[in-house]
Every structure is written in C-alpha cells, then in structure tokens.
C-alpha cells in the first residue's frame, strides 16, 4: 500500500491480515517519542494487544548480538499466531524480517518503511538478514512481509541527504528497464525531492518497477532479471567497506558511485555507449549524488583492501567477481565476471586514463 497519512490508520489496515489480535511492534527508537502512544491507542481501539520494542537503527544493529537481544524480548510475548510489525528504515526491516523468518519456525510480519531507500527498494522483495564480521548480509533468508505500508508523509522528517540517497535506488530501477521514467527524471525539477506530493507517484511507480523486475525470480536464482537490481552494488560494497563505521557515505551514495563505475566499465566493453554513461552521470549530479568514484578509491598500494570487499559479494562465480553491467538505459543488464587483477586494472588504470581498455 502506497499513500499519504497511512501510519495513523495502520492498525485498521493490518487487522484483516492478523491471525490473532496480538502484535509486537519493533520500532526505530528515534521514532518512539512521536509514535508510541498513537500506535498503542490505534491498536487498543481495535482490541489488539500490542507490545512495543524500540531498537537503534543503522548498520550497527544488524548483528548477532542485537538479534539475540530482540529474540529474547519477543519470546516473552509471542506465540505462533503473533505477528511482528517493523517500523523504521531498511536495517529495521532486514533485522525484523530475519527474526520473523526463524523465530518459532516463522511468524507473519508487516513493514512500515520510513526512509525513501526502504520504501522504493529494501521493503520490497523478501530479503532479510544481518551482517557478520566476514561481510554484509551474509546471514539471512527470504521471508516476505504480509503487507508493506508505505506512507510517503514519513519522509518529511528525513534530511535531504537521505532523500537523495533513496533516490539513487529509484533511478536505478529506471536504468534497468524504464527509459521513459529516466527521461522524465532528466526533465524534472530537482526540487521534487522536497515535494512529497510529487514524490508519492514516483514511489508508487518505482515500487511497481521493482516488483516487475523480481517477478520472474523471487528467490534470486540468477535465472531471471532479479539479479539486475545489483546494478552498481558490487562496486558500492567496496566503497561502503572502506567507509567502515565512519558512516560518512550513505548506502544510496555508494550505489550512485557504483552505478557510475558500472556504466564506465560497460562502455569500455561496448555493452553500452559512453554517451549513455555521461547521461547517467549527469542525472545523478542533477539530484545531488556523488559520481566521481575515483576520488573514493584508496591509494594503489592499498587496493587489496578494496578488492577484498568485492570478493565477498554473494553474486560471485567460480572465483571471479561478478558485476551487473547495463546494456544501455532502460534496456536490461548482463552478468560480467572478472578476475581481481582485471578489476584492479580497470579501476586504477581508469584513474589515470579517461578511456581505459576493455576488461575480460
């Protein structure tokens, strides 16, 4: 469900899908003071027993320790008929969805995403998980939420940097298979990032696009188009890994850098044109996203650190790093495996050469 003002009637929207009048609400603690009592009042009015558990948002919460603590609190109140409602950004959804997938051999769960990046991307598709020391999202499952309630009004509290970050994923969906949407964004006023009436239809359209992209491969078996959603993400994992716990680089910003690198690599191999790569870069700049990925690479003597993050990517095949590369704009993608040495050659050669050679 996509609309405005939906949080204030979420209990009514969820009620038809409950197996029992009992729900656990896991909410980002920064939202607790504003929404705790209104949520309790909503559910109480429908005779639904609700228990609220606040947790901290951010990647630091996607850990075994947080999982253990959350499960310990939930099991005091839950049985197999109990549902869980997650309210927060993508991290909250990933964590709560994973808990719901494993606790008592599976509980129903609902998600109210509160960030743009969650609304257009992570809330859709059933991926859940937590991070391990070995890498991001390595422990997880597919466990689809029963209902996703996307309230665009919740974006009003976000800093503009987080709106931009989420917009990179929306742009990505257009790059994969909707040239018309890309062209509309090229002609749009960047001020729409502050215009929530204008964002509403874009969030809805992007959500439908993602559903269409994953529809032939719900569990990402690499036999359909779902893997195309990783456009830009392999490079992005490297940039995020280097950023570490500093938190200076938002996920969508890393994706924007990764998209630019992916288009440059695709153009070098004649999968798309250099003109396509330039158009994509211009659109990202238009909406305030970073594009100069060379500025985020470490010195050449520390390149192994960056490549190490890429080598942990779950898409990798037969010891090679698998990149999702575009065939153009709105024309789909392809999987392009590369050796670590070839990736190094592309990235650090292109740092010096504006027209690097094709890489195999």
């Amino acid at each position: 469900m996509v609309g405005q003002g939906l949080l204030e009637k979420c209990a009514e929207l969820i009620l038809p899908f409950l197996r029992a009048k009992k729900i656990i609400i896991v909410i980002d603690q920064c939202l607790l003071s504003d929404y705790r009592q209104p949520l309790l009042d909503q559910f109480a009015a429908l005779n639904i027993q609700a228990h609220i558990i606040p947790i901290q948002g951010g990647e630091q919460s996607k850990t075994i320790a947080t999982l253990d603590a959350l499960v310990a609190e939930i099991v005091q109140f839950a049985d197999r008929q109990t549902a869980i409602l997650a309210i927060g950004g993508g991290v909250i959804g990933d964590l709560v969805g994973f808990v719901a997938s494993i606790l008592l051999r599976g509980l129903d769960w609902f998600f109210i995403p509160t960030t743009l990046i969650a609304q257009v991307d992570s809330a859709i598709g059933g991926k859940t998980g937590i991070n391990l020391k070995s890498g991001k999202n390595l422990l997880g499952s597919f466990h689809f939420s029963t209902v996703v309630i996307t309230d665009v009004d919740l974006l009003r509290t976000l800093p503009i940097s987080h709106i931009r970050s989420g917009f990179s994923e929306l742009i990505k969906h257009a790059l994969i298979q909707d040239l018309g949407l890309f062209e509309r964004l090229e002609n749009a006023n960047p001020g729409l990032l502050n215009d929530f009436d204008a964002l509403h239809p874009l969030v809805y359209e992007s959500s439908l696009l993602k559903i269409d992209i994953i529809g032939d491969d719900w569990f990402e078996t690499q036999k359909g188009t779902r893997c195309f959603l990783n456009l830009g993400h392999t490079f992005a994992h490297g940039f995020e890994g280097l950023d570490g716990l500093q938190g200076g680089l938002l996920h969508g910003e890393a994706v924007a850098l990764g998209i630019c690198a992916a288009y440059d690599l695709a153009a070098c191999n004649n999968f798309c044109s250099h003109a396509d790569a330039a158009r994509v870069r211009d659109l990202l700049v238009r909406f305030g996203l970073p594009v100069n990925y060379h500025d985020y690479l470490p010195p050449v003597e520390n390149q192994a650190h960056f490549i190490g993050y890429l080598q942990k990517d779950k898409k990798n095949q037969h010891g090679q790093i698998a990149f999702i590369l575009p065939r153009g704009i709105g024309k789909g993608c392809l999987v392009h495996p590369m050796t670590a040495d070839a990736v190094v050659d592309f990235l650090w050669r292109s740092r010096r050469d504006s027209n690097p050679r094709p890489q195999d």
Side-chain angles (χ1 to χ4, degrees), residues 56 178 209 230 274:
Q56 184 177 359
D178 196 328
L209 261 178
N230 289 296
H274 288 283

Side-chain angles (χ1 to χ4, degrees), residues 29-349:
Q29 66 183 22
C30 72
L31 303 171
L32 188 64
S33 60
D34 288 334
Y35 298 115
R36 182 182 186 278
Q37 199 56 50
L39 285 166
L40 290 175
D41 291 345
Q42 270 195 68
F43 285 98
L46 296 174
N47 297 313
I48 301 170
Q49 181 183 354
H51 177 73
I52 293 182
I53 302 173
I55 62 172
Q56 184 177 359
E59 287 291 324
Q60 67 272 19
S61 291
K62 287 176 62 174
T63 64
I64 291 284
T66 306
L67 174 73
D68 185 41
L70 184 56
V71 166
E73 186 158 0
I74 290 175
V75 294
Q76 298 180 52
F77 304 95
D79 56 37
R80 295 199 67 189
Q81 306 305 309
T82 306
I84 308 177
L85 169 62
I87 304 177
V91 166
I92 301 293
D94 285 353
L95 175 62
V96 173
F98 185 52
V99 168
S101 76
I102 59 176
L103 186 59
L104 303 177
R105 294 191 172 88
L107 299 176
D108 293 340
W109 74 291
F110 307 88
F111 191 16
I112 301 178
T114 59
T115 63
L116 182 57
I117 203 163
Q119 291 184 355
V120 301
D121 189 54
S122 65
I124 304 165
K127 284 185 176 180
T128 74
I130 61 173
N131 303 331
L132 300 177
K133 290 180 180 179
S134 329
K136 188 174 179 180
N137 295 324
L138 290 183
L139 191 63
S141 62
F142 286 94
H143 189 53
F144 294 85
S145 51
T146 304
V147 176
V148 176
I149 299 172
T150 295
D151 186 344
V152 180
D153 282 341
L154 292 170
L155 303 179
R156 296 179 187 274
T157 62
L158 293 181
I160 188 63
S161 59
H162 287 255
I163 299 288
R164 290 193 190 103
S165 176
F167 212 71
S168 71
E169 294 282 5
L170 189 151
I171 290 171
K172 180 196 72 179
H173 294 162
L175 293 174
I176 293 170
Q177 66 175 44
D178 196 328
L179 175 60
L181 175 57
F182 180 86
E183 290 175 338
R184 295 206 316 273
L185 293 175
E186 279 186 309
N187 295 316
N189 185 334
L192 72 83
L193 295 179
N194 290 307
D195 183 347
F196 299 98
D197 290 334
L199 275 176
H200 179 178
L202 284 174
V203 169
Y204 179 68
E205 188 173 356
S206 184
S207 300
L208 293 180
L209 261 178
K210 178 161 184 182
I211 290 168
D212 190 42
I213 293 167
I214 68 178
D216 65 347
D217 189 12
W218 289 100
F219 297 99
E220 201 170 26
T221 62
Q222 309 295 325
K223 295 180 180 178
T225 57
R226 178 162 191 159
C227 65
F228 294 174
L229 292 166
N230 289 296
L231 174 63
H233 280 62
T234 303
F235 286 116
H237 292 163
F239 296 125
E240 287 181 298
L242 290 178
D243 188 57
L245 298 177
Q246 297 177 28
L249 194 64
L250 297 174
H251 176 69
E253 293 172 335
V255 168
L257 295 170
I259 286 172
C260 290
Y263 266 86
D264 283 351
L265 180 57
C268 290
N269 287 278
N270 298 316
F271 301 142
C272 73
S273 68
H274 288 283
D276 285 338
R279 284 181 72 187
V280 171
R281 181 184 294 265
D282 288 346
L283 181 64
L284 293 168
V285 168
R286 181 176 177 79
F287 286 97
L289 288 157
V291 297
N292 297 317
Y293 57 91
H294 292 118
D295 294 344
Y296 291 81
L297 291 172
V300 66
E301 60 268 22
N302 295 329
Q303 64 193 23
H305 192 43
F306 180 86
I307 296 298
Y309 288 109
L310 274 57
Q311 290 173 320
K312 295 173 184 174
D313 192 283
K314 296 183 291 298
K315 301 182 300 298
N316 291 344
Q317 305 171 0
H318 311 298
Q320 292 191 313
I321 302 169
F323 293 92
I324 304 300
L325 299 184
R327 297 182 183 275
I329 297 174
K331 297 179 180 178
C333 302
L334 56 90
V335 181
H336 184 63
M338 295 174 65
T339 64
D341 287 344
V343 177
V344 168
D345 188 46
F346 164 72
L347 287 173
W348 276 268
R349 179 188 297 276

